[in-house]
Amino acid sequence: MPSRLGRGEDVVPELPEVETTRRGIENAVINRTIVSAIIRQPRLRWPVPRGFASRVESRTVASLRRRAKYLIFDLRQGASADGAVILHLGMSGSLRLLPSATPPLVHDHVDLVLDSGLCLRFNDPRRFGSVLWTAQDPLQHPLLARLAPEPLSDEFNGEYLARAARGRRVAIKQLLMNSQVVVGVGNIYASEALFRARIRPRRAAGRLRSEEFDALASAIKVVLEEAIRAGGTTLRDYVNPEGMPGYFRQKLFVYERSNEPCRVCRLPIKQLVQGQRSTYFCPGCQK
Ligand SMILES: [Zn+2]
């Protein structure tokens, strides 16, 4: 069984949590019209744009997409496309679907009230998240236009990684966490993918063999897909007024398992610091 995440620092929503959120709310928002938008706190990572409410009111959600860790709500008015909401959960953000009369909690900053009687409520204690609006193609928005490939896309594969790593002496784990190389591979999933691919995190990126790049690209897809599936079992939480977001964690092999026996070879898992972040690896399984 995947374990429920705690409320500590490491609950930062990563790509699987954002994708789980997207899937969890998709059916409740698509083809629903936004009756009103309530902004209780506009000072997020970037301020909620002036006039946000009037831009989204009476618009219908045409589709809900994800790019990196951004959720994109494409809006339409009648049959014509009419802007998009770009939402980022930041370090501590979450979205819940609630009956719209539910009294807000202290960190409930933004509501999109839907014509179904539910509202989509954005809660973010640390306020590193953002709720933006754009008239243009959201994928061309300055925050999204230059993002690296999605790890779950065909474009991201061993060949792509090998090209990105060519001639680079940076540690392979740092390369994976560089959002100009690939988006959405955070600390947990970089550590877990390197374990599955049997590669030590400190190896120079440019020195990996082509089979290792292939194994690593596949391992990244596998760990992310498993995490999305683990989150996907908790969709009921999104309609539970008491419920916190349904982020569950898959069974991890190395992350935060310092000194515990490797699940494969029983040697103690080692911890080191790379780029001010903890890295975990198995000295027996990873070369
Ligand atoms: Zn091991």
Side-chain angles (χ1 to χ4, degrees), residues 195 262 264-266 282 284-285:
F195 174 82
C262 172
V264 175
C265 74
R266 314 307 296 170
C282 171
C285 294

Side-chain angles (χ1 to χ4, degrees), residues 17-25 71 89 95 238 247:
E17 286 77 21
V18 178
E19 179 61 22
T20 297
T21 298
R22 192 192 69 76
R23 294 181 187 187
I25 64 175
L71 290 171
L89 297 175
L95 283 169
Y238 291 91
Y247 305 156

Side-chain angles (χ1 to χ4, degrees), residues 260-281:
E260 290 178 48
C262 172
R263 299 190 199 280
V264 175
C265 74
R266 314 307 296 170
L267 277 179
I269 299 298
K270 291 205 158 157
Q271 178 178 3
L272 54 86
V273 174
Q274 275 182 301
Q276 291 150 357
R277 307 291 300 274
S278 285
T279 290
Y280 304 85
F281 71 99

Side-chain angles (χ1 to χ4, degrees), residues 15 66 149-154 156 182-185 217 220-221 224:
L15 186 150
R66 180 188 58 74
E150 288 287 323
L152 296 174
S153 68
D154 293 340
F156 179 76
V182 57
V183 296
V185 182
I220 289 168
K221 292 173 195 278
L224 291 174

Side-chain angles (χ1 to χ4, degrees), residues 173 176-177 185-196 199 201 254-255 278-281 286:
K173 176 162 179 269
L176 297 182
M177 290 180 61
V185 182
N187 199 25
I188 299 175
Y189 301 106
S191 299
E192 292 295 307
L194 284 161
F195 174 82
R196 309 272 185 119
I199 296 164
V254 290
Y255 186 76
S278 285
T279 290
Y280 304 85
F281 71 99
Q286 292 170 259

